[in-house]
């Protein structure tokens, strides 16, 4: 912008010098004019701390001093050109010493930490998480309430909402339709009480999810996943039934040694690390520790173009 203003002003001066036969335009006037331009450009940009602002201030000051003949001798065009180069060299040196950079742009983020629900009745909680483009973690923790939610959300990108009553908690984190930025993933962690039973429903849209259910009593888990990466460790405190509807997702099941897996699937599914499972007559797959395991995870998968990896930990 400043460069365009200088070009327009220079063009006007040239037109005036031709029309008025240099009556209005002398070298001193041009020097004064550009001295003002460089000073104004330097001062208006100084608060932004951009590289080049100090050079503009130095050279503008030199032009003003020479205009009023405060130097011992008057400077010619070649000397002024060299002084302009020197001004910006000095600016570059100071920029390197003091690491001048643009100010940090403040992001409108919310840091959320809340225990839910305030009043819990019964022994089973209905929990729902419906999230877009987020990093979601489910884990156990020593808490008094059934659910503790911690989240870092950019309010310009996401619409975060929670609903609850005495027996259910619903957590939503949806991308705003009006958002045009490439969003940074929201970070959401949900801690669960080890003494409460849970029916859990997760709706994941392009998310990275880590579900560590080892110390959690999960009676029913339903997951709908689109374009997501899921790592799941089944409960070691209860038998678990997991229904998973997967579209173009990666599913990694990590089994503790005392938990067996019964797998039933339909659709397009690519298996990996399937060595410790065998197929029964009914078409289901069972891990080789089925008869010795304390608890069993029943996994039903309906999938399209997804990958399943099963490993023991």
């Amino acid at each position: 912008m400043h460069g365009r203003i200088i070009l327009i002003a220079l063009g006007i001066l040239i037109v005036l010098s031709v029309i008025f036969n240099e009556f209005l335009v002398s070298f001193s006037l041009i020097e004064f004019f550009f001295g003002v331009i460089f000073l104004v450009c330097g001062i208006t940009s100084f608060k932004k701390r951009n590289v080049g602002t100090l050079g503009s201030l130095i050279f503008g000051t030199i032009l003003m001093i020479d205009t009023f003949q405060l130097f011992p001798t008057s400077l010619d065009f070649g000397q002024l050109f060299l002084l302009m180069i020197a001004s910006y060299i000095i600016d570059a040196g100071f920029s390197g010493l003091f690491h001048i950079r643009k100010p940090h742009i403040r992001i409108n983020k919310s840091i959320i930490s809340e225990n839910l629900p305030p009043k819990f009745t019964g022994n089973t909680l209905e929990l729902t998480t419906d999230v877009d483009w987020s990093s979601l973690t489910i884990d156990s923790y020593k808490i008094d309430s059934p659910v503790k939610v911690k989240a870092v959300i950019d309010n310009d990108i996401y619409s975060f909402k929670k609903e609850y009553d005495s027996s259910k908690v619903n957590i939503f984190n949806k991308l705003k339709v009006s958002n045009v930025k490439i969003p940074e993933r929201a970070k959401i962690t949900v801690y669960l009480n080890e003494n409460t039973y849970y029916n859990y429903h997760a709706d994941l849209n392009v998310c990275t999810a880590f579900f560590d259910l080892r110390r959690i009593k999960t009676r029913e888990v339903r997951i709908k996943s689109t374009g997501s990466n899921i790592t799941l460790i089944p409960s070691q405190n209860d038998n678990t039934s997991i229904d998973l509807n997967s579209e173009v997702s990666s599913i990694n099941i990590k089994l503790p040694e005392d938990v067996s897996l019964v797998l039933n699937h339909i659709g397009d599914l690519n298996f990996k690390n399937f060595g410790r499972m065998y197929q029964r007559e009914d078409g289901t797959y069972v891990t080789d520790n089925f008869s010795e395991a304390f608890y069993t995870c029943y996994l039903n998968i309906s999938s399209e173009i997804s990958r399943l990896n099963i490993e023991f930990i």
Side-chain angles (χ1 to χ4, degrees), residues 120 123 141 143 192-198 215-217:
F120 175 60
N123 66 344
Y141 199 69
I143 53 177
L192 303 182
N193 192 313
E194 297 175 6
N195 298 318
T196 304
Y197 287 92
Y198 295 90
R215 303 181 67 83
I216 299 172
K217 299 174 182 178

Side-chain angles (χ1 to χ4, degrees), residues 13 16-17 21-34 67:
L13 286 174
L16 292 174
S17 66
N21 296 320
E22 299 183 352
F23 175 73
L24 295 178
V25 183
S26 64
F27 183 76
S28 295
L29 182 59
I30 293 175
E31 190 176 18
F32 175 79
F33 179 80
F34 278 98
T67 299

Side-chain angles (χ1 to χ4, degrees), residues 84-282:
M84 182 182 70
I85 295 174
S87 300
Y88 286 101
I89 290 174
I90 292 171
D91 175 74
F94 275 103
S95 299
L97 283 176
F98 299 104
H99 193 55
I100 297 174
R101 57 186 176 184
K102 293 182 179 180
H104 179 69
I105 299 174
R106 187 174 181 179
I107 299 175
N108 184 22
K109 281 189 176 180
S110 290
I111 300 176
I112 299 162
S113 180
E114 189 168 353
N115 295 316
L116 299 172
K119 295 181 180 180
F120 175 60
T121 59
N123 66 344
T124 302
L125 183 84
E126 303 290 330
L127 174 64
T128 298
T129 56
D130 185 355
V131 295
D132 297 341
W133 195 261
S134 300
S135 177
L136 175 64
T137 300
I138 303 292
D139 204 350
S140 60
Y141 199 69
K142 295 186 182 299
I143 53 177
D144 295 329
S145 61
V147 176
K148 182 179 182 67
V149 182
K150 288 188 174 182
V152 179
I153 307 294
D154 187 338
N155 295 322
D156 293 332
I157 297 174
Y158 299 96
S159 175
F160 182 85
K161 183 175 65 172
K162 53 190 180 297
E163 299 173 349
Y164 54 86
D165 59 22
S166 59
S167 61
K168 73 176 182 180
V169 173
N170 300 329
I171 299 168
F172 304 91
N173 188 51
K174 309 299 289 182
L175 284 169
K176 292 182 178 179
V177 176
S178 59
N179 173 54
V180 294
K181 297 190 293 185
I182 298 175
E184 176 187 354
R185 286 188 188 274
K187 294 179 175 60
I188 304 171
T189 302
V190 180
Y191 295 107
L192 303 182
N193 192 313
E194 297 175 6
N195 298 318
T196 304
Y197 287 92
Y198 295 90
N199 292 324
Y200 177 47
H201 177 213
D203 199 334
L204 310 173
N205 184 24
V206 197
C207 293
T208 299
F210 181 75
F211 299 148
D212 189 348
L213 309 179
R214 278 176 288 189
R215 303 181 67 83
I216 299 172
K217 299 174 182 178
T218 52
R219 290 181 169 173
E220 181 182 89
V221 177
R222 291 179 294 149
I223 301 172
K224 183 178 180 182
S225 170
T226 302
S228 298
N229 191 332
I230 303 169
T231 299
L232 188 148
I233 307 176
S235 174
Q236 290 179 277
N237 287 332
D238 199 3
N239 292 327
T240 307
S241 175
I242 301 176
D243 294 328
L244 202 159
N245 187 337
S246 172
E247 296 182 6
V248 198
S249 295
S250 176
I251 306 150
N252 187 27
I253 305 296
K254 294 188 175 185
L255 287 173
E257 287 291 343
D258 58 352
V259 177
S260 64
L261 179 69
V262 177
L263 171 65
N264 181 35
H265 81 90
I266 58 174
D268 185 7
L269 187 65
N270 180 28
F271 295 105
K272 187 178 181 181
N273 292 338
F274 217 51
R276 291 188 59 177
M277 300 192 74
Y278 62 91
Q279 190 173 18
R280 299 191 296 193
E281 293 182 357
D282 61 359

